[in-house]
Amino acid sequence: MKISTRYADGKLAIFLNGELDHHSARQAMETIAEAIDGSLPRQVLLDMSGLSFMDSSGIAVILKADRRLKETGGRLFIDCPQSQPLKVLEAAGIVRVVEVISKREVTT
C-alpha cells in the first residue's frame, strides 16, 4: 500500500493506492494520523480511487481517522471508492457515518 498526501488551504487530501488489509492497516493508521496531526485540517478527503481492495481492517482505519478529525473540529470525506471497497463501506454502514462524495461508475 502506498499513501501520499497533499495539503492546501485547510484541506488535506490523502491518496490510498494498492490494498488496505490487515497487513497494511497499522501503517495506514499511523501515516494518516501523522498527516492529520501535522496539519490539523478542517477537511480531509480520503481519495480511494487507487485502492483496489479493502477488508474490514480498512473500516477501522476510516473510523479512527473520522474520530480524530471530529476531536479537532474537522470532517472526513471519502472520494471515488472503486466497486469492491465501496461494497465493504456500504455493508459496514460507513456511508451513513462518513460522506462519500463521488462514486465510480461500474462498467461491465
Side-chain angles (χ1 to χ4, degrees):
M1 154 149 271
K2 181 181 174 194
I3 300 174
S4 58
T5 62
R6 184 173 49 225
Y7 177 81
D9 301 323
K11 298 176 184 176
L12 175 65
I14 301 173
F15 303 91
L16 304 178
N17 291 288
E19 296 184 356
L20 181 53
D21 57 19
H22 69 280
H23 294 293
S24 59
R26 181 180 308 256
Q27 182 61 42
M29 278 186 200
E30 291 171 7
T31 301
I32 291 169
E34 288 172 8
I36 290 170
D37 292 345
S39 59
L40 295 174
R42 292 184 311 274
Q43 296 179 357
V44 171
L45 178 71
L46 195 58
D47 186 312
M48 299 177 78
S49 62
L51 194 65
S52 59
F53 174 82
M54 183 176 81
D55 65 12
S56 60
S57 301
I59 299 302
V61 171
I62 292 167
L63 290 176
K64 184 174 182 177
D66 185 56
R67 183 172 48 248
R68 180 66 186 125
L69 280 162
K70 286 179 179 172
E71 290 171 358
T72 62
R75 188 163 176 208
L76 180 66
F77 299 90
I78 295 172
D79 192 25
C80 290
Q82 292 189 33
S83 60
Q84 189 277 334
L86 180 59
K87 287 178 186 176
V88 173
L89 294 171
E90 290 173 340
I94 296 301
V95 296
R96 292 187 303 263
V97 177
V98 178
E99 184 178 350
V100 177
I101 59 173
S102 179
K103 296 180 183 177
R104 264 186 194 229
E105 293 298 318
V106 179
T107 57
T108 56

